[in-house]
Each structure stands twice: as C-alpha cells, then as structure tokens.
Amino acid sequence: RKEVEQDPGPFNVPEGATVAFNCTYSNSASQSFFWYRQDCRKEPKLLMSVYSSGNEDGRFTAQLNRASQYISLLIRDSKLSDSATYLCVVSQGSARQLTFGSGTQLTVLP
Amino acid sequence: GAVVSQHPSWVICKSGTSVKIECRSLDFQATTMFWYRQFPKQSLMLMATSNEGSKATYEQGVEKDKFLINHASLTLSTLTVTSAHPEDSSFYICSAPTGTDTQYFGPGTRLTVL
C-alpha cells in the first residue's frame, strides 16, 4: 500500500466549477500535511499547509481528519490557471522528509 | 522569500558519462537538503538526504555508489550521476527545508541519457 494515496484523476472541469480532491495517508505518525501544486515540467510549489481545524486561503479550502487519516482540498470557482497537478504531501515532522502522493491532474476548461 | 537554485536546468549526455547537478540555497543556510527523482507521470520519490559535513542518507533501492552526494557547504549540495544510462533519464529535484516545516524546491534538472 502506498504511504500517500490520492484520487487517480484526471479531473476535467469547466471554469467556475467546484472540485474536490481526496487523499489518505497510512502513517499515523505523520505530523504535517500539505498540498503542493506542480505545473508541467516544473518543480512543486507549496499551495497550502493543512491544519486539523481546517483552513482556507481564498478559493482553496483544506481539511484534515487525523482519525480517518484523510486530507482534502476544495477549489471553488475554478480558474483556467488552476490547471495543474495537485500533490498531497505528508511529513513525519522532525525528519522533515516529505512523502508525496502520486498527484491528481486538474484541467479547467473554458 | 527563500530560493533554491539548480544547475543545470537540463542536460543531455551519452551513456556511460557522469553528470553533476548542483543545488544551492540562495538566501539561507541549509544543513540538510533532499534529492528527489520524478519519472514521467509519476510523483516525486525521495532518493537521499544530503547532510552538510557528513555522509548522505540514501533511501532503500537507491545506489549510493551511483548517485554520489556531496554537501560541502551550508548552501551547496551536489548530486553526481555516475556512469549514467538511459534508465537514469528523469527529472531530478532538490529541496531545502526552512526553519519552519516547509521546504523550497529547486527548479529541477531534466536529465536525458542517450
């Protein structure tokens, strides 16, 4: 079983749509959680950290359920520029090593 | 904000040659840096942890004699792919953690071995 599993995708949605990505992780010792965005042939860039209380950054909302070991990302009012691969990432904290999910590809269509 | 650079951004080489990739933290010191590899349509896989002044720690299945890592200063780590073969063709990305729990990634190096 992979340490971090994500929706296989790809997701193709129209502009303005709301889209949700799900992610589960297997290591209960994981302490930090993130969503990264990766554009084609580029490095990953941090989209947002994910906190137990849930957090929002503009059109993006992240949720964490430690009991279920489940992370989600909600994108509202999708823009063309949101097209990318979204990576669910966990860390064991002190080791600062990141474990990446396989990513979910999103294409926002005009 | 913190920036990590990599050089070269892309390289094409013949099978059997060695390729060195540099990773630099530009405005902060990094005692630890991470090297990842990403094959097409796959996610990033951690190869090794580079430690300034000591030996690198390699992930299971990564040959330390093939992927030589040197972290000689607080701002520079190098990855040398020795005797590269076509199956080593990949996107190599380094990262450096900041004082918080986040990491900054270099722009990556695309290696093609003919």
Side-chain angles (χ1 to χ4, degrees), chain A residues 6 31-34 36 38 40-46 49 87 91 93-103 105, chain B residues 31-32 34 36 38 41-44 46 49 57 59 91 93 95 97-108 110:
Chain A
Q6 294 185 238
Q31 296 185 24
S32 302
F33 310 89
F34 311 93
Y36 276 74
Q38 185 174 27
C40 187
R41 305 175 79 86
K42 299 284 188 181
E43 78 276 20
K45 293 190 176 177
L46 179 65
S49 301
L87 302 168
S91 167
S94 59
R96 297 187 293 180
Q97 290 182 356
L98 301 181
T99 302
F100 286 79
S102 55
Q105 186 177 350
Chain B
T31 56
T32 300
F34 300 103
Y36 296 84
Q38 185 176 32
K41 298 193 181 298
Q42 296 185 26
S43 193
L44 279 74
L46 180 66
T49 302
T57 304
E59 295 301 299
F91 191 44
I93 307 175
S95 74
T98 65
T100 64
D101 203 19
T102 56
Q103 293 188 19
Y104 287 94
F105 286 82
R110 194 160 298 280

Side-chain angles (χ1 to χ4, degrees), chain B:
Chain B
V3 177
V4 174
S5 70
Q6 271 185 250
H7 177 81
S9 55
W10 59 269
V11 57
I12 301 174
C13 69
K14 293 182 179 179
S15 185
T17 61
S18 294
V19 176
K20 179 186 283 188
I21 303 170
E22 293 184 350
C23 176
R24 293 181 185 273
S25 57
L26 295 185
D27 55 2
F28 67 103
Q29 294 181 335
T31 56
T32 300
M33 291 184 178
F34 300 103
W35 285 97
Y36 296 84
R37 180 168 54 182
Q38 185 176 32
F39 292 107
K41 298 193 181 298
Q42 296 185 26
S43 193
L44 279 74
M45 295 298 295
L46 180 66
M47 298 176 65
T49 302
S50 174
N51 303 299
E52 187 269 335
S54 64
K55 291 182 179 180
T57 304
Y58 290 82
E59 295 301 299
Q60 190 173 14
V62 178
E63 299 175 54
K64 62 180 181 180
D65 294 331
K66 179 170 182 63
F67 298 99
L68 302 178
I69 291 174
N70 185 281
H71 195 149
S73 78
L74 288 171
T75 59
L76 173 65
S77 174
T78 61
L79 169 68
T80 301
V81 183
T82 63
S83 186
H85 289 94
E87 58 266 31
D88 298 323
S89 298
S90 188
F91 191 44
Y92 291 86
I93 307 175
C94 69
S95 74
T98 65
T100 64
D101 203 19
T102 56
Q103 293 188 19
Y104 287 94
F105 286 82
T109 297
R110 194 160 298 280
L111 171 64
T112 301
V113 185
L114 303 176

